[in-house]
Amino acid sequence: MIQNFTTVRTVSELRQVIGEWRRAGLSVGLVPTMGALHEGHFSLVDRSVMENDRTCVSLFVNPKQFSPTEDFDLYPRNEAADAQALQCRGANVLFAPLVEEMYPADAATSVSVPGLGDVLEGEFRDGFFTGVATVVSKLLIQSMADRAYFGDKDYQQLRVIRRLTADLNIPVQIIGCPIIREEDGLALSSRNAYLTTEERAIAPALYTVLLKMVAAIQSGADSASAVQDGTQHLLSVGFMKVDYLAVVDPETLLPLSSATGPCRVLGAAWLGKTRLIDNVGV
Ligand code: PAF
């Protein structure tokens, strides 16, 4: 589907485009991204196009969610290809601001979500969720979208975003969408591009381990032994380091010692220089 598509770089241009839509009574969906789009992102765009009259995709590699030792400079960027693909998918506007537009030199406000943002990823990625919560709050307010779409792949991020949206009374519906996987189970991620051929062959083991953990706890094993077995398995197949494997409450993300009700099994592990994350619902 090829249709009117435009790229804007400033908040005032974005507000002008979206303001016209809103005055015409059209509903607006937002898909926040950092670009390097893949089928995981496109599944969010497809859903937004289906559920809204107009779809805005943001592309902003947010420096505030990268620590100084992370891959901000290396993060894959290809705006021209992303824009072309988005137009084909039926999106209407790409919001691709410069860093100075999102964070003017005198900007002083940040949004943090203690508790949900401190555990799991928060323990290993200093400042990550404050960076995410700040930029997502800004994008939601800048776009005033009716609905915003995020992948379950970043499950903790989705929980943090639901919390901040409720706490700040931002009038948007947050929609979580299923993880899109390669045929061998590897969850799609822009960072998969960093994997060498050898690492790519090992990478699906993270998902396999999460599924094994689910099977183990469903058949009565306690979380600690499922985590221990899972960690050993990942290290034995070639993962360098396991940041965490965890069985948690799907709402609070607090650890569960066994699975008597709904829970989420999450993991983060390093393959060479690439950090992979994944999760499975129980
Ligand atoms: O999931 C991502 O790509 C980013 O964390 C997001 C939500 C676009 C915020 O920068």
Side-chain angles (χ1 to χ4, degrees):
M1 186 198 326
I2 302 283
Q3 57 184 44
N4 280 346
F5 180 85
T6 177
T7 297
V8 298
R9 303 211 180 265
T10 66
V11 177
S12 71
E13 287 171 303
L14 178 70
R15 289 230 164 105
Q16 198 178 332
V17 171
I18 293 186
E20 277 170 27
W21 294 340
R22 300 200 72 94
R23 282 190 290 282
L26 302 174
S27 61
V28 180
L30 172 72
V31 182
T33 81
M34 298 206 300
L37 304 180
H38 50 65
E39 284 304 320
H41 298 110
F42 296 137
S43 70
L44 309 181
V45 175
D46 290 349
R47 175 109 182 245
S48 174
V49 168
M50 204 168 63
E51 295 181 350
N52 301 279
D53 298 313
R54 294 289 182 269
T55 289
C56 170
V57 178
S58 64
L59 188 176
F60 181 61
V61 185
N62 174 30
K64 287 203 187 296
Q65 68 187 75
F66 290 78
S67 77
T69 57
E70 288 184 333
D71 54 346
F72 177 73
D73 291 330
L74 280 181
Y75 198 84
R77 289 164 173 86
N78 194 345
E79 184 188 314
D82 289 346
Q84 198 177 13
L86 288 170
Q87 180 168 17
C88 295
R89 281 331 252 235
N92 304 95
V93 65
L94 175 64
F95 176 47
L98 295 177
V99 172
E100 304 80 73
E101 178 70 8
M102 291 300 269
Y103 302 118
D106 56 352
T109 305
S110 58
V111 178
S112 49
V113 183
L116 281 179
D118 293 334
V119 296
L120 302 168
E121 288 296 286
E123 272 182 44
F124 291 89
R125 302 186 67 189
D126 203 20
F128 172 68
F129 281 118
T130 298
V132 169
T134 303
V135 81
V136 170
S137 304
K138 286 170 72 75
L139 290 166
L140 295 175
I141 293 166
Q142 289 162 348
S143 67
M144 293 311 278
D146 299 286
R147 300 182 188 85
Y149 297 80
F150 298 89
D152 275 343
K153 157 88 179 2
D154 298 295
Y155 183 80
Q156 186 177 5
Q157 169 173 281
L158 179 59
R159 297 302 324 157
V160 165
I161 292 168
R162 285 194 194 285
R163 185 72 265 149
L164 75 87
T165 307
D167 291 351
L168 299 178
N169 305 109
I170 303 177
V172 64
Q173 196 185 340
I174 301 298
I175 302 191
C177 302
I179 299 175
I180 306 295
R181 297 183 181 281
E182 302 280 9
E183 269 182 24
D184 59 10
L186 176 65
L188 296 195
S189 162
S190 305
R191 288 188 168 102
N192 292 351
Y194 301 152
L195 297 169
T196 63
T197 311
E198 196 180 84
E199 289 163 353
R200 173 63 191 81
I202 299 169
L206 179 57
Y207 180 50
T208 312
V209 159
L210 296 178
L211 291 178
K212 279 190 174 164
M213 289 175 67
V214 169
I217 56 176
Q218 276 179 333
S219 52
D222 60 86
S223 304
S225 60
V227 166
Q228 199 180 6
D229 292 350
T231 305
Q232 263 166 17
H233 185 115
L234 287 177
L235 296 175
S236 73
V237 297
F239 277 79
M240 312 270 292
K241 185 169 167 264
V242 178
D243 277 353
Y244 61 83
L245 288 174
V247 180
V248 301
D249 179 286
E251 301 286 318
T252 64
L253 304 185
L254 292 175
L256 295 172
S257 53
S258 60
T260 46
C263 61
R264 201 93 194 173
V265 180
L266 301 98
W270 290 86
L271 248 184
K273 291 186 176 143
T274 309
R275 187 172 183 275
L276 299 179
I277 63 169
D278 201 348
N279 69 88
V280 178
V282 182

mmCIF file of all heavy atoms in Angstrom, residues 32-34 62 65 132 135-136 150 154 157, ligand 1:
data_model
loop_
_atom_site.group_PDB
_atom_site.id
_atom_site.type_symbol
_atom_site.label_atom_id
_atom_site.label_comp_id
_atom_site.label_asym_id
_atom_site.label_seq_id
_atom_site.Cartn_x
_atom_site.Cartn_y
_atom_site.Cartn_z
ATOM 1 N N PRO A 32 6.662 3.857 18.592
ATOM 2 C CA PRO A 32 7.992 4.385 18.890
ATOM 3 C C PRO A 32 9.078 3.359 18.521
ATOM 4 O O PRO A 32 8.949 2.180 18.878
ATOM 5 C CB PRO A 32 7.972 4.613 20.403
ATOM 6 C CG PRO A 32 6.519 4.585 20.781
ATOM 7 C CD PRO A 32 5.888 3.630 19.812
ATOM 8 N N THR A 33 10.126 3.808 17.822
ATOM 9 C CA THR A 33 11.218 2.895 17.469
ATOM 10 C C THR A 33 12.558 3.635 17.547
ATOM 11 O O THR A 33 12.592 4.865 17.598
ATOM 12 C CB THR A 33 11.097 2.339 16.022
ATOM 13 O OG1 THR A 33 11.607 3.321 15.095
ATOM 14 C CG2 THR A 33 9.684 1.964 15.651
ATOM 15 N N MET A 34 13.627 2.831 17.506
ATOM 16 C CA MET A 34 14.962 3.420 17.352
ATOM 17 C C MET A 34 15.483 3.094 15.956
ATOM 18 O O MET A 34 16.699 3.141 15.706
ATOM 19 C CB MET A 34 15.907 2.900 18.436
ATOM 20 C CG MET A 34 15.430 3.289 19.841
ATOM 21 S SD MET A 34 16.738 3.393 21.057
ATOM 22 C CE MET A 34 17.367 1.730 21.023
ATOM 23 N N ASN A 62 17.782 6.996 21.138
ATOM 24 C CA ASN A 62 17.693 7.840 22.331
ATOM 25 C C ASN A 62 18.960 7.748 23.178
ATOM 26 O O ASN A 62 19.162 6.754 23.887
ATOM 27 C CB ASN A 62 16.471 7.353 23.133
ATOM 28 C CG ASN A 62 16.349 8.039 24.474
ATOM 29 O OD1 ASN A 62 16.767 9.182 24.627
ATOM 30 N ND2 ASN A 62 15.757 7.334 25.445
ATOM 31 N N GLN A 65 19.096 6.404 26.931
ATOM 32 C CA GLN A 65 18.908 5.032 27.390
ATOM 33 C C GLN A 65 20.129 4.151 27.126
ATOM 34 O O GLN A 65 20.061 2.933 27.253
ATOM 35 C CB GLN A 65 17.626 4.438 26.811
ATOM 36 C CG GLN A 65 17.614 4.192 25.319
ATOM 37 C CD GLN A 65 16.239 3.766 24.822
ATOM 38 O OE1 GLN A 65 15.342 4.565 24.705
ATOM 39 N NE2 GLN A 65 16.062 2.473 24.542
ATOM 40 N N VAL A 132 14.391 5.432 28.911
ATOM 41 C CA VAL A 132 13.216 4.969 28.153
ATOM 42 C C VAL A 132 11.965 5.716 28.609
ATOM 43 O O VAL A 132 11.183 6.220 27.791
ATOM 44 C CB VAL A 132 13.018 3.440 28.327
ATOM 45 C CG1 VAL A 132 11.670 3.005 27.778
ATOM 46 C CG2 VAL A 132 14.143 2.667 27.646
ATOM 47 N N VAL A 135 11.930 9.376 27.361
ATOM 48 C CA VAL A 135 11.676 9.592 25.932
ATOM 49 C C VAL A 135 10.264 9.142 25.545
ATOM 50 O O VAL A 135 9.592 9.787 24.745
ATOM 51 C CB VAL A 135 12.766 8.927 25.049
ATOM 52 C CG1 VAL A 135 12.528 7.437 24.844
ATOM 53 C CG2 VAL A 135 12.841 9.626 23.711
ATOM 54 N N VAL A 136 9.795 8.047 26.154
ATOM 55 C CA VAL A 136 8.452 7.571 25.785
ATOM 56 C C VAL A 136 7.391 8.557 26.296
ATOM 57 O O VAL A 136 6.434 8.860 25.590
ATOM 58 C CB VAL A 136 8.204 6.131 26.280
ATOM 59 C CG1 VAL A 136 6.746 5.723 26.109
ATOM 60 C CG2 VAL A 136 9.103 5.155 25.522
ATOM 61 N N PHE A 150 3.850 -1.358 21.495
ATOM 62 C CA PHE A 150 5.168 -1.803 21.958
ATOM 63 C C PHE A 150 5.195 -3.322 21.928
ATOM 64 O O PHE A 150 4.168 -3.974 22.155
ATOM 65 C CB PHE A 150 5.426 -1.326 23.399
ATOM 66 C CG PHE A 150 5.433 0.170 23.528
ATOM 67 C CD1 PHE A 150 4.256 0.867 23.782
ATOM 68 C CD2 PHE A 150 6.610 0.892 23.380
ATOM 69 C CE1 PHE A 150 4.249 2.249 23.890
ATOM 70 C CE2 PHE A 150 6.609 2.282 23.494
ATOM 71 C CZ PHE A 150 5.428 2.960 23.747
ATOM 72 N N ASP A 154 10.359 -6.620 24.718
ATOM 73 C CA ASP A 154 10.891 -5.823 25.828
ATOM 74 C C ASP A 154 9.810 -5.774 26.902
ATOM 75 O O ASP A 154 9.184 -4.733 27.126
ATOM 76 C CB ASP A 154 11.259 -4.429 25.323
ATOM 77 C CG ASP A 154 12.346 -4.499 24.266
ATOM 78 O OD1 ASP A 154 13.462 -4.916 24.607
ATOM 79 O OD2 ASP A 154 12.057 -4.188 23.102
ATOM 80 N N GLN A 157 10.114 -3.264 29.727
ATOM 81 C CA GLN A 157 9.880 -1.915 29.190
ATOM 82 C C GLN A 157 8.377 -1.646 29.070
ATOM 83 O O GLN A 157 7.888 -0.577 29.422
ATOM 84 C CB GLN A 157 10.559 -1.804 27.816
ATOM 85 C CG GLN A 157 10.178 -0.570 27.031
ATOM 86 C CD GLN A 157 10.996 -0.414 25.766
ATOM 87 O OE1 GLN A 157 12.141 0.035 25.816
ATOM 88 N NE2 GLN A 157 10.437 -0.770 24.626
HETATM 89 O O1 PAF B 1 12.107 -0.364 22.343
HETATM 90 C C1 PAF B 1 12.701 0.591 21.791
HETATM 91 O O2 PAF B 1 13.055 0.553 20.602
HETATM 92 C C2 PAF B 1 13.011 1.830 22.611
HETATM 93 O O3 PAF B 1 13.331 1.511 23.925
HETATM 94 C C3 PAF B 1 11.891 2.873 22.550
HETATM 95 C C4 PAF B 1 10.602 2.361 23.169
HETATM 96 C C5 PAF B 1 11.634 3.288 21.104
HETATM 97 C C6 PAF B 1 12.306 4.126 23.342
HETATM 98 O O4 PAF B 1 13.469 4.682 22.828
#
